[in-house]
Amino acid sequence: MTSENIKNVFITIFIIVLISFSYIGFKEVINFFTIQNKLVNEQIIKLSENIASQRAEFNTKLLENKIKDLSVEIKSLIKQRDQVVNDIGISVATIKQSVNLINKKSDKVYEKPGKDIDHYLFKKIYMKDSEGNSFPVSWVMFYPNKPENEQWKTGTYPIEFHERIVLAETDSTDENYRLDVIGETWIENNRNKETKGNQYPIKLNSFEWTRRELKDKKWNFNPRTSIGFNAGTTLFPSINLSFFSYGKTKGDMDWKFLTAGAGGNNDDWQLHFSPASYNIGKPIPLIDNIFIGPYISIDGENETGVGIITDVPF
């Protein structure tokens, strides 16, 4: 491959990258002005009486206080497993309070001729969900022919309280990272044929989620390709591959290490290696990762050199 061909390849790569980042930047600007006032950015969203979305709060101190409130049994189990609590969610739901006159007509009557002592009247007690649908929660039996202290019998159905928890997070791991928790609550009465399998939504009064702050940084095996510019005796574009990083996550990097690449211009091409480079891009809008570091190189004439490489991983 001639130097002219190499030049054309790198110019083409540079133009593609420039167009890509320009497009990404344009989308970021548009999103900033169009999404900010939308419902999806609200801290708390009430989708219905029994469904709510709450933005998770990253607060280690608050989480530690909530851990203190855990039961002794839970704390003991966590300790035995040598685990760490990173999330705690709390929700409060209520069933509508209601006062109703009972229809005089019994749901069921057991009666034999005469005044049989086992004669009884049976009545179900109903409550309403958040949408106004009725479901039975208990029952009453009345034996009019029994002694006064044996006339009433009551019971409750095995009501099941359900809550569905959904964790939804953004792909970004920088300052734009967001974790939302969506909760949904309902009741089921699977003892009765008339209600078996039905879901009765109940009002979700409050909903909160606390997560430990992501502070710890660590080493990661994190292969990343990048496009950059090398500044040595001349300035030329390059394409690179790094293998390790250090930071909060693989996307939120402070350092990257062991970067190898190739680049060139009209006059020459070279292979280069950078032991380490530092991320100076976090304060810069639109582009979170711009790394700068030293490199050593060898060109087509086997001459070595040194310089500074600036690149953007993707």
Side-chain angles (χ1 to χ4, degrees):
M1 181 179 290
T2 64
S3 61
E4 184 66 25
N5 290 336
I6 294 176
K7 172 187 174 182
N8 292 334
V9 168
F10 278 101
I11 290 176
T12 302
I13 293 174
F14 175 73
I15 292 174
I16 292 173
V17 172
L18 182 62
I19 293 174
S20 299
F21 276 109
S22 299
Y23 174 70
I24 293 171
F26 175 75
K27 286 184 65 179
E28 291 286 345
V29 172
I30 295 300
N31 287 340
F32 179 80
F33 289 105
T34 58
I35 296 180
Q36 295 302 312
N37 295 323
K38 288 186 177 180
L39 187 64
V40 293
N41 278 336
E42 296 295 328
Q43 295 288 333
I44 302 174
I45 303 174
K46 193 74 173 178
L47 301 177
S48 65
E49 282 290 299
N50 73 309
I51 304 176
S53 174
Q54 168 72 55
R55 186 168 185 174
E57 182 176 1
F58 287 75
N59 189 324
T60 301
K61 185 176 180 180
L62 179 60
L63 179 67
E64 295 296 341
N65 289 334
K66 290 185 177 182
I67 291 175
K68 294 178 182 178
D69 294 333
L70 295 176
S71 67
V72 175
E73 292 80 5
I74 293 177
K75 291 179 182 178
S76 177
L77 181 60
I78 293 169
K79 185 177 180 180
Q80 291 174 19
R81 292 174 173 173
D82 193 24
Q83 294 175 323
V84 176
V85 178
N86 290 318
D87 296 82
I88 291 182
I90 299 175
S91 61
V92 178
T94 56
I95 302 175
K96 282 186 176 181
Q97 181 181 3
S98 60
V99 178
N100 302 298
L101 290 174
I102 298 178
N103 192 317
K104 291 183 179 180
K105 184 178 179 182
S106 177
D107 296 338
K108 180 180 179 182
V109 178
Y110 177 79
E111 188 172 14
K112 291 183 177 180
K115 292 189 176 183
D116 185 81
I117 195 170
D118 290 326
H119 166 66
Y120 69 82
L121 294 91
F122 177 86
K123 191 73 177 176
K124 295 178 182 178
I125 307 299
Y126 287 81
M127 299 191 75
K128 291 185 177 181
D129 64 16
S130 59
E131 296 178 350
N133 301 311
S134 298
F135 59 95
V137 294
S138 60
W139 50 265
V140 179
M141 295 176 69
F142 177 61
Y143 294 83
N145 299 328
K146 286 190 175 184
E148 185 175 351
N149 63 343
E150 298 179 9
Q151 287 182 333
W152 295 93
K153 183 185 291 185
T154 63
T156 57
Y157 290 108
I159 302 299
E160 301 172 5
F161 289 81
H162 294 257
E163 181 172 14
R164 179 181 289 117
I165 303 293
V166 178
L167 298 181
E169 58 185 341
T170 56
D171 287 334
S172 61
T173 54
D174 53 18
E175 66 275 3
N176 296 318
Y177 175 79
R178 173 167 176 165
L179 172 67
D180 286 275
V181 186
I182 304 167
E184 180 182 12
T185 53
W186 71 91
I187 277 179
E188 293 184 16
N189 180 351
N190 291 310
R191 175 60 63 87
N192 277 36
K193 290 183 179 180
E194 62 180 291
T195 59
K196 187 174 183 178
N198 295 340
Q199 295 182 2
Y200 298 92
I202 56 176
K203 184 177 181 180
L204 186 55
N205 284 2
S206 62
F207 186 59
E208 60 185 61
W209 194 275
T210 308
R211 169 168 285 192
R212 189 179 302 278
E213 296 172 78
L214 186 60
K215 287 185 175 180
D216 296 335
K217 299 179 181 181
K218 58 183 179 180
W219 294 88
N220 289 294
F221 176 64
N222 187 18
R224 289 292 186 101
T225 54
S226 64
I227 295 293
F229 282 95
N230 294 30
T233 55
T234 59
L235 180 67
F236 56 88
S238 64
I239 185 167
N240 311 284
L241 174 64
S242 60
F243 292 92
F244 295 91
S245 66
Y246 178 78
K248 291 182 179 179
T249 66
K250 290 185 176 182
D252 187 2
M253 301 175 285
D254 292 337
W255 292 85
K256 63 188 185 78
F257 300 92
L258 304 185
T259 299
N265 53 29
N266 289 333
D267 301 321
D268 199 5
W269 63 270
Q270 67 175 222
L271 301 176
H272 54 264
F273 173 77
S274 174
S277 54
Y278 180 70
N279 188 1
I280 61 171
K282 290 187 177 181
I284 301 176
L286 304 182
I287 301 177
D288 301 316
N289 296 318
I290 300 178
F291 289 81
I292 186 170
Y295 74 85
I296 57 175
S297 64
I298 183 170
D299 60 20
E301 298 179 356
N302 291 327
E303 293 184 359
T304 59
V306 296
I308 300 295
I309 181 173
T310 303
D311 64 337
V312 177
F314 54 90

